[in-house]
Amino acid sequence: TIQDRLEAIFIDRLDKLQVGVDGLSDRMSTVERDFTLTREQYIQDIEDKNAVVAKDTNGMQNIFENEKIDRRERELAISRKLGDHESRTQAALEATVSVREQKYQSLRGELEEIKRTREKGDDKFQTFILEEVAACKSGLFHESHAREQADDDIVQALNHYTKCLQDALRIINQH
């Protein structure tokens, strides 16, 4: 009869609609799972990069501290050397005044040059460290911002996709 055929057609269409809805549900589940995995990977990548930056920063700090210690030791050695030279100069002072004055000026010049050289080295090293740390911070900030933007884009796409699905379901339910 006609009613049986109509029921068969409706049942067939409902079955097709159900298959389509099930397919969309599976897709949504896959998209949500992929989104969760991707987000976790982004978070893990950021944590890994933070750990690398922290390790590098600690390494640079240790190198800087070791350099300061080495410089102090060299300064002490220079001071001891200077003391030795001054005592020899004192002995020479008693012998001749002009030789004494020349040696003293020579040693004083060496000391000043060593201090200038050391200060230049300290300034260059400190500038290098500060530039490296600033570059690391800048890179981390940009990476974090890019990842946040990518996450926002994914969420926006999912919201748009969900809205389109809801609109399609509304249209299907109206007919």
Side-chain angles (χ1 to χ4, degrees), residues 49-98:
K49 287 184 179 182
N50 281 341
V52 168
V53 168
K55 182 181 173 186
D56 289 346
T57 302
N58 287 338
M60 287 182 201
Q61 182 67 30
N62 289 339
I63 290 170
F64 182 70
E65 291 300 324
N66 290 338
E67 181 67 23
K68 282 173 48 178
I69 290 169
D70 289 345
R71 286 203 175 113
R72 281 189 205 124
E73 289 173 359
R74 284 183 288 198
E75 189 174 316
L76 286 174
I78 290 169
S79 294
R80 277 186 244 122
K81 186 177 180 180
L82 180 62
D84 291 344
H85 285 298
E86 285 179 353
S87 66
R88 280 187 239 141
T89 303
Q90 185 64 31
L93 277 174
E94 295 171 2
T96 62
V97 174
S98 68

Side-chain angles (χ1 to χ4, degrees), residues 58-151:
N58 287 338
M60 287 182 201
Q61 182 67 30
N62 289 339
I63 290 170
F64 182 70
E65 291 300 324
N66 290 338
E67 181 67 23
K68 282 173 48 178
I69 290 169
D70 289 345
R71 286 203 175 113
R72 281 189 205 124
E73 289 173 359
R74 284 183 288 198
E75 189 174 316
L76 286 174
I78 290 169
S79 294
R80 277 186 244 122
K81 186 177 180 180
L82 180 62
D84 291 344
H85 285 298
E86 285 179 353
S87 66
R88 280 187 239 141
T89 303
Q90 185 64 31
L93 277 174
E94 295 171 2
T96 62
V97 174
S98 68
V99 172
R100 173 188 66 189
E101 197 60 33
Q102 289 175 348
K103 284 195 180 237
Y104 179 77
Q105 292 301 324
S106 172
L107 291 174
R108 206 32 124 179
E110 282 181 31
L111 177 62
E112 290 300 321
E113 184 60 35
I114 289 170
K115 283 183 181 179
R116 279 193 297 274
T117 303
R118 185 192 53 165
E119 288 172 0
K120 285 180 187 177
D122 284 346
D123 291 344
K124 285 180 184 178
F125 184 74
Q126 187 174 11
T127 301
F128 171 76
I129 293 298
L130 292 175
E131 288 173 356
E132 287 295 317
V133 168
C136 288
K137 284 182 180 178
S138 176
L140 183 60
F141 171 77
H142 290 298
E143 180 71 17
S144 176
H145 181 70
R147 288 185 184 211
E148 287 175 8
Q149 183 62 41
D151 287 348

Side-chain angles (χ1 to χ4, degrees), residues 35-51 140 143 147-148 151:
F35 175 75
T36 301
L37 289 173
T38 302
R39 184 168 182 206
E40 288 173 0
Q41 287 173 348
Y42 283 150
I43 290 171
Q44 185 63 41
D45 286 347
I46 288 172
E47 288 174 355
D48 291 346
K49 287 184 179 182
N50 281 341
L140 183 60
E143 180 71 17
R147 288 185 184 211
E148 287 175 8
D151 287 348

Side-chain angles (χ1 to χ4, degrees), residues 2-18:
I2 294 177
Q3 185 175 355
D4 291 338
R5 276 195 263 162
L6 283 175
E7 284 180 9
I9 290 171
F10 281 126
I11 289 173
D12 184 45
R13 287 192 178 178
L14 282 174
D15 288 343
K16 288 179 183 177
L17 183 60
Q18 185 62 41

